[in-house]
Structures are given as structure tokens and as C-alpha cells.
Amino acid sequence: DAGVTQSPTHLIKTRGQQVTLRCSPKSGHDTVSWYQQALGQGPQFIFQYYEEEERQRGNFPDRFSGHQFPNYSSELNVNALLLGDSALYLCASGTNTGELFFGEGSRLTVL
Amino acid sequence: AQSVSQHNHHVILSEAASLELGCNYSYGGTVNLFWYVQYPGQHLQLLLKYFSGDPLVKGIKGFEAEFIKSKFSFNLRKPSVQWSDTAEYFCAVTRGLYSSASKIIFGSGTRLSIRP
């Protein structure tokens, strides 16, 4: 049973560019959350998708957007990249049992 | 605003030493509490969680945590650490009744280094 899978694992972009990160939730999970983890910090909640709609959002600007597809997979898009967007982006899926399952993340470097 | 504070940024212990990592949260209502661990090169995984009932919660790998409501704390403990416990530990909180829609707020993490 595959866990949460994310792609790409690493990528480098320059300021002003746009990036799309992808996530497939654990089998049987229909809710996907995205987190940003800067170096030396805990994960910060970006947003959550359920039934193809954004259900909750953290304190991130509109440059951060997302999408969920009918198969529950999800994308995170970041426009007009800033140096400060460099971080590990984590995708998580969960159930009502209270355990979030995390992917290994996509490490984004903005130059 | 709800926040989670982890007092120790980096803890260094020798094998067989006892461990206690502090965690305090700022929300006064119903909370659900978690400890997650991130081993080097691996993804975050759940160590233990508290929703209700016995405030002393036992998790995997010999870890336990105690919810003290009056102190807004949920400290993680282990009586005897092993070298394999070297990892980053994150305390996390959600508010209200837990569901898959709950937003989890993480602390900044504590890096634990174990000397063999």
C-alpha cells in the first residue's frame, strides 16, 4: 500500500518563476493538506483540499494556490517565486483517526 | 492566535539517559495533541496522540507524553534513550473535536542528538 507520494523531490527555480508540486494521498484518503517547512522550523499549514475544494487556508498569500483532482491527488502552485519561498513542501493525507500521513516532501530552492 | 512552543531547540543526551521534551500550547478550549518525529532523511511520522481520557499517553518506541491541562503542556518523555532516537521531534495541536478537516499547528521542533 503506497503511502503519500510527492514529486518532484528536488527542484531549483529563479525568482519570479512559477512552480507546481504534486501529491498523491495514501490509498483511501480523500483529504490532502499542504505544509511549508522552512529550514529549522516546524511545518506551517498552507491549505487543505477536500472534494476538489479548498476547505481551509493558512496565512499564505494568494501566490499560493492549489487544486485537487477527482482521484484525490493534488497540486500546489506558487507564482512569482521569492527567495523566501525556498523550503521543503510537505503533503499530508489523513483520516478521522487523527493520524496525518506525510510524504517525503519536495525541496524547492529559489535563486 | 493559537501557538505551540517547544522550549528546547537542540538536546544532546548520552545513550540510556532519560528524556523529557517540553511543549506548551496557547489555546484554552478543547485541544487534541500530537508528537511527530522526523528521523534523518525520512518523512514525518506520528509518535503518539491525545484526544481525551487518560492524560498519560503511550506511543511507539517506548515514548509517552502527559497532558497537563492546567499547565497547557504536553511533554514528551522516554526513560532510556537509544542512539536510534536521534531525530527532530515536533509537538502539534488541533482545536475542537478532531476530524480530517482539522488544521494541525506545529511547534518549531526540537532536535535530539544521542551520543553512542
Side-chain angles (χ1 to χ4, degrees):
Chain A
D1 179 21
V4 179
T5 57
Q6 293 186 244
S7 64
T9 54
H10 295 83
L11 69 167
I12 300 173
K13 293 285 187 177
T14 56
R15 280 179 298 176
Q17 284 190 313
Q18 178 264 345
V19 68
T20 297
L21 308 178
R22 295 175 177 83
C23 171
S24 293
K26 186 175 171 64
S27 178
H29 292 180
D30 55 10
T31 302
V32 171
S33 300
W34 286 92
Y35 288 80
Q36 180 196 64
Q37 187 177 13
L39 201 60
Q41 299 295 318
Q44 300 293 312
F45 178 78
I46 303 175
F47 44 51
Q48 182 185 75
Y49 277 84
Y50 173 70
E51 292 189 344
E52 302 181 49
E53 292 200 358
E54 184 181 290
R55 185 159 61 175
Q56 287 198 76
R57 190 178 183 91
N59 295 324
F60 280 80
D62 292 345
R63 298 186 298 109
F64 289 76
S65 64
H67 189 78
Q68 186 178 34
F69 299 94
N71 67 352
Y72 308 124
S73 66
S74 177
E75 287 182 350
L76 164 65
N77 301 292
V78 187
N79 294 323
L81 284 167
L82 304 173
L83 294 178
D85 295 331
S86 295
L88 181 67
Y89 288 86
L90 298 169
C91 174
S93 67
T95 69
N96 287 342
T97 63
E99 180 170 2
L100 270 187
F101 290 81
F102 283 85
E104 295 193 8
S106 295
R107 185 164 296 283
L108 171 65
T109 302
V110 182
L111 302 176
Chain B
Q2 184 179 356
S3 69
V4 180
S5 299
Q6 293 184 241
H7 317 297
N8 313 103
H9 295 293
H10 189 192
V11 172
I12 303 173
L13 296 172
S14 298
E15 276 194 311
S18 64
L19 168 72
E20 181 159 4
L21 301 182
C23 172
N24 286 91
Y25 60 93
S26 62
Y27 181 62
T30 299
V31 293
N32 309 288
L33 299 153
F34 307 81
W35 276 96
Y36 278 82
V37 62
Q38 190 169 30
Y39 297 103
Q42 296 188 26
H43 59 276
L44 276 166
Q45 53 188 287
L46 183 68
L47 264 183
L48 48 78
K49 63 181 184 280
Y50 172 80
F51 283 5
S52 62
D54 188 345
L56 185 62
V57 180
K58 294 193 184 299
I60 60 172
K61 304 187 180 185
F63 286 91
E64 65 178 31
E66 185 175 13
F67 171 50
I68 303 180
K69 190 173 182 178
S70 61
K71 295 185 177 180
F72 297 88
S73 71
F74 190 58
N75 292 353
L76 181 71
R77 299 194 294 249
K78 186 171 184 179
S80 176
V81 294
Q82 302 172 308
W83 179 80
S84 58
D85 293 325
T86 295
E88 188 98 20
Y89 292 81
F90 295 94
C91 181
V93 175
T94 68
R95 53 184 287 184
L97 291 177
Y98 185 83
S99 75
S100 63
S102 297
K103 180 172 72 173
I104 296 185
I105 307 298
F106 286 85
S108 57
T110 297
R111 184 156 62 99
L112 175 64
S113 299
I114 305 298
R115 292 189 293 247

